[in-house]
Amino acid sequence: DKVLIANRGEIACRVIRTAKKLGIQTVAVFSDADKNAEHVRLADESYYLGPPPASQSYLMGAKIIEACKATGAQAVHPGYGFLSENLPFCEMCKKAGVVFIGPPPGAIRAMGSKSESKTIMIDAGVPVTPG
């Protein structure tokens, strides 16, 4: 089993360490700015994404899917931020047959709508402010 961590820095390091404890192989992704970063050194494999701006590397869902396919990673862990709550990326993973380790598309969609989120909270019995 192999998971690609679509993030960098400390969160990527934590995911990599945990995966290794569970016997899961890891793939780190990196931009030019991160090629010597700790998360790249800790992972079993690494995959180059592109230039330093996140908009040209870490936020490019198609590049992340390409990295999964190229390395044989069956799943992607988005870490925090970047693609962790990105509905189009989550759906892209599903379409590509890559497991997205995070909330399902429906949950991301619901939490992206303030009114839908509030309805879910009310239905669950959570006190909410009227209005």
Side-chain angles (χ1 to χ4, degrees):
D1 293 336
K2 190 184 293 186
V3 63
L4 182 141
I5 298 86
N7 216 303
R8 61 184 174 196
E10 182 58 28
I11 185 56
C13 292
R14 289 179 184 190
V15 173
I16 291 167
R17 287 184 192 110
T18 301
K20 285 185 172 212
K21 286 179 185 175
L22 296 171
I24 299 169
Q25 289 188 319
T26 57
V27 179
V29 290
F30 66 96
S31 70
D32 291 323
D34 303 309
K35 64 185 173 190
N36 297 313
E38 184 177 7
H39 75 283
V40 177
R41 292 191 308 270
L42 286 176
D44 297 302
E45 298 176 50
S46 60
Y47 188 89
Y48 174 70
L49 291 178
S55 63
Q56 295 177 34
S57 54
Y58 292 96
L59 293 173
M60 299 290 293
K63 285 187 179 184
I64 301 296
I65 298 296
E66 176 186 301
C68 289
K69 298 296 183 185
T71 61
Q74 300 96 351
V76 61
H77 190 303
Y80 298 118
F82 285 148
L83 298 169
S84 65
E85 296 177 12
N86 184 299
L87 181 59
F89 178 67
C90 185
E91 291 173 334
M92 189 184 303
C93 288
K94 187 173 183 176
K95 185 176 179 181
V98 174
V99 175
F100 178 81
I101 302 173
I108 294 173
R109 188 176 299 107
M111 293 302 111
S113 164
K114 192 173 183 178
S115 61
E116 191 172 347
S117 297
K118 190 169 186 176
T119 300
I120 291 168
M121 303 265 278
I122 291 168
D123 291 347
V126 176
V128 297
T129 304

